[in-house]
Amino acid sequence: WGSAPATSLLSLAVTSEQIEHLHRRFKQLSQDQLTIRKENFDSIPDLEFNPIRGKIVHAFFDKRNLRQESDGLADEINFEDFLTIMSYFRPIEMNMDEEQLDRFRKEKLKFLFHMYDSDHDGKITLQEYRNVVEELLSGNPHLEKESARSIADGAMMEAASICVGQMGPDQVYEGITFEDFLKMWQGIDIETKMHVRFLNVDTIAHCY
């Protein structure tokens, strides 16, 4: 499969065995082609009923997540791109210092921020934030619609208190910035909650 650039492998920080697993998964998804396209994700059973399936697939082709200079969506991704995306889901390493952990956390939250910021304008409206929370909760079979709506409303109000609360009286609210987003997720264990089961070739893709 050729050699991926060292930067991708270092950022992914996995063993050669895991990279082989990822490559087998890539070949399975791409049907032995050199690139993966959006329609290839239609073959993933675990994504079929995911309430934010579209946003997850969108994130894989978001050029911001691919660390490209340009904006928008890529039509296809190669194995190097695939490794770059998977690097956002890597687990914590025991030898990480405080600075590395902080950078690691911000990378994961930036990926998540991009999922919310679907129009690529660098901001998330409170309503967009509420909608995504409700979409996420809709996948829980034990939660009634009204309960999910109430939780989503509460999340929106909490976001508003964090974002609007730090604005001056003469400022106009334009949306949740990444800095606001970091404050909203403060104290939440995103490091272990955000992962994707891509290392198992038989089953695929749980993002939560």
Side-chain angles (χ1 to χ4, degrees):
W1 46 276
S3 58
T7 51
S8 289
L9 300 187
L10 283 173
S11 65
L12 188 57
V14 295
T15 64
S16 58
E17 182 183 356
Q18 288 171 324
I19 291 170
E20 289 292 345
H21 272 299
L22 284 171
H23 188 247
R24 286 201 296 275
R25 167 50 69 199
F26 178 86
K27 287 181 68 177
Q28 192 177 49
L29 274 175
S30 68
Q31 299 174 355
D32 283 330
Q33 300 300 306
L34 294 175
T35 59
I36 292 174
R37 303 182 69 87
K38 292 184 187 68
E39 53 265 29
N40 293 122
F41 283 82
D42 294 337
S43 64
I44 304 175
D46 289 334
L47 270 186
E48 186 178 351
F49 301 108
N50 192 304
I52 59 165
R53 177 191 179 282
K55 285 183 170 59
I56 293 170
V57 175
H58 186 100
F60 270 77
F61 296 86
D62 190 327
K63 291 181 179 178
R64 296 172 298 180
N65 296 334
L66 295 170
R67 299 179 180 138
Q68 296 182 10
E69 294 300 321
S70 55
D71 200 4
L73 295 178
D75 293 325
E76 54 191 14
I77 56 173
N78 58 25
F79 183 57
E80 179 190 339
D81 296 327
F82 187 69
L83 281 179
T84 298
I85 293 295
M86 294 312 299
S87 73
Y88 294 100
F89 296 93
R90 68 195 189 279
I92 290 176
E93 296 161 51
M94 297 305 293
N95 61 348
M96 283 182 170
D97 59 29
E98 286 298 318
E99 186 179 338
Q100 289 172 320
L101 279 171
D102 184 61
R103 186 166 63 247
F104 176 86
R105 177 179 174 80
K106 283 181 179 176
E107 281 181 5
K108 283 181 177 285
L109 286 172
K110 180 69 82 170
F111 183 91
L112 194 60
F113 181 82
H114 291 158
M115 285 182 66
Y116 285 78
D117 177 27
S118 54
D119 62 359
H120 297 225
D121 68 349
K123 293 185 179 70
I124 305 163
T125 67
L126 289 171
Q127 190 59 45
E128 282 174 336
Y129 181 73
R130 182 205 174 283
N131 290 344
V132 175
V133 172
E134 189 171 3
E135 283 176 27
L136 280 166
L137 294 172
S138 70
N140 187 335
H142 306 293
L143 199 63
E144 294 180 359
K145 271 189 176 179
E146 283 303 317
S147 299
R149 193 169 293 126
S150 296
I151 295 170
D153 285 340
M156 181 177 70
M157 295 305 293
E158 185 178 356
S161 68
I162 291 171
C163 304
V164 181
Q166 56 191 345
M167 289 173 54
D170 57 340
Q171 290 178 287
V172 178
Y173 177 76
E174 294 179 352
I176 300 167
T177 64
F178 182 59
E179 288 68 30
D180 293 331
F181 199 70
L182 288 176
K183 291 185 177 72
M184 288 162 53
W185 283 81
Q186 200 166 9
I188 299 174
D189 183 18
I190 187 68
E191 293 86 349
T192 56
K193 289 182 185 299
M194 182 175 158
H195 64 277
V196 58
R197 293 177 190 164
F198 262 100
L199 297 183
N200 186 335
V201 177
D202 298 317
T203 60
I204 187 170
H206 284 278
C207 293
Y208 50 85

